[in-house]
Amino acid sequence: MRLARRDVITGLAAALSTTREAQAQAPSPVPPRSGVLASPGADLEILDLWPGPPPGGGGPVAADGRFDETREGVITNVTRPCLLVMRAARPNGAAMLVAAGGGYRRIDIGNEGVPVANWLAASGVTAFVLIYRLPGEGWAAGPVAPIQDVQRALRFVRSEASRFAVDPQRIGVLGFSAGGHLMGEAAVRSADALYAAVDARDDVSPRPDLAGLIYPVITLRPPFDRTSTRRVLVGESPTLEEAAAHSVDSHVRERGPPIFLSQSADDPIAVVDNSLVMFSALRRALVPVELHLFERGGHGYGLGVPGSPAAAWPGLFLTWMRRRGFLRA
């Protein structure tokens, strides 16, 4: 199924008059989107992650049946987590699962999702933008809901590797801000069984082959806990144990996938200590890691503001992936 200017999905009338299960199975036409996904060139396949309601139940109702999107490409009300697929014109067999940030309150695909997927596709990488559940939108799984979606997405892509012309041993993850926290969890918690299997796809490994974390939120512990990510995942006054349970560095173990870290020293939101904490944890565990710190860049710059120091990260990331054998001609 392709999404250009119009998507065939569940209509508002069905959402209001049927159960969630019926909603997921009763698509009907809706007016053209007005956001990034309606723009010229946004010719994306859209694939639901789960064959039915996501694990645990709950969640919001979106006007279009899957999620709501603003003109700026900000997504909320994620009813049905899904993948937006951007195929490369000349695929090299590598795939990347992309998670945009937004503090787990929204997903900014307009800045950190679709543009990044286009850039990856131009480099021969098949890109999958992940539309993940937002914990504050009433999901019974709470803070575990997004990582369940990531694990399912990795299994989905790996189990359908031939369908996407992807090498199942070259599937990576790339996350920004809160999306960096999420993809960091994907990298360090792949051995954790976070939901009961729903079909044969769940027999496949959810371990990414490498991870790129760009201005990521890593730790939810003080004094680096002044983020929306911390407030959404563990509340205003978590115990140290609760904060540690959802801090990415707490779960680092030996033999994890290689990780690329990039952050700016002037980041006012995910302070640079996040990457430093993660770098130290990875070094202690002997996990391959590359860290790039920039004097300026701030936060939320996506592919980087042209001319700023942080705009160097995409080229550095491609070089790192080639050196690791992830990108091949």
Side-chain angles (χ1 to χ4, degrees), residues 184-185 187-189 192 244-254:
E185 285 203 299
V188 301
R189 300 190 65 185
D192 296 352
H246 293 282
S247 292
V248 179
D249 57 299
S250 297
H251 298 277
V252 171
R253 300 292 183 270
E254 293 183 0

Side-chain angles (χ1 to χ4, degrees), residues 18 31 47 50-51 61 84 122 126 136 156 162 200 204 217 228 242 250 253 263 322:
T18 66
L47 303 170
W50 305 96
V61 173
L84 309 178
T126 302
F156 190 112
S162 60
V204 177
V217 177
S228 172
E242 289 169 335
S250 297
R253 300 292 183 270
Q263 202 146 28
R322 287 193 185 95

Side-chain angles (χ1 to χ4, degrees), residues 24-278:
Q25 299 172 6
S28 59
V30 295
R33 290 181 182 275
S34 59
V36 169
L37 298 183
S39 62
D43 188 18
L44 306 174
E45 296 172 77
I46 185 167
L47 303 170
D48 291 325
L49 285 179
W50 305 96
V61 173
D64 65 9
R66 280 199 177 95
F67 53 79
D68 293 335
E69 181 200 2
T70 70
R71 290 182 180 276
E72 294 74 30
V74 174
I75 284 176
T76 56
N77 289 328
V78 180
T79 301
R80 289 159 61 189
C82 54
L83 293 172
L84 309 178
V85 188
M86 178 70 73
R87 293 178 183 262
R90 296 181 179 178
N92 59 29
M96 193 69 65
L97 187 65
V98 179
Y104 285 112
R105 297 183 187 277
R106 58 190 180 276
I107 306 172
D108 187 4
I109 66 164
N111 182 45
E112 299 163 346
V114 171
V116 171
N118 276 312
W119 163 68
L120 289 167
S123 302
V125 179
T126 302
F128 300 83
V129 180
L130 177 65
I131 308 301
Y132 52 92
R133 283 173 287 165
L134 299 169
E137 292 188 337
W139 296 101
V144 180
I147 184 63
Q148 289 177 337
D149 292 340
V150 178
Q151 287 194 345
R152 176 68 180 183
L154 284 161
R155 287 170 165 143
F156 190 112
V157 174
R158 185 163 280 128
S159 66
E160 299 282 346
S162 60
R163 169 183 175 183
F164 299 114
V166 163
D167 179 348
Q169 302 305 314
R170 287 192 288 148
I171 300 173
V173 294
L174 178 60
F176 300 79
S177 191
H181 177 274
L182 181 56
M183 292 315 198
E185 285 203 299
V188 301
R189 300 190 65 185
S190 62
D192 296 352
L194 298 177
Y195 64 90
V198 298
D199 57 26
R201 286 190 177 120
D202 290 323
D203 294 333
V204 177
S205 171
R207 184 186 189 274
D209 295 299
L210 54 71
L213 311 181
I214 313 303
Y215 45 87
V217 177
I218 294 294
T219 180
L220 308 189
R221 290 171 288 201
F224 313 121
D225 59 342
R226 300 178 182 179
T227 61
S228 172
T229 293
R230 187 267 297 163
R231 290 189 290 273
V232 171
L233 293 183
V234 295
E236 291 293 342
S237 302
T239 65
L240 288 178
E241 291 76 14
E242 289 169 335
H246 293 282
S247 292
V248 179
D249 57 299
S250 297
H251 298 277
V252 171
R253 300 292 183 270
E254 293 183 0
R255 295 184 293 277
I259 290 181
F260 177 99
L261 296 163
S262 176
Q263 202 146 28
S264 300
D266 64 348
D267 192 325
I269 296 175
V271 294
V272 72
D273 304 83
N274 282 275
S275 285
L276 295 173
V277 164
M278 187 63 172

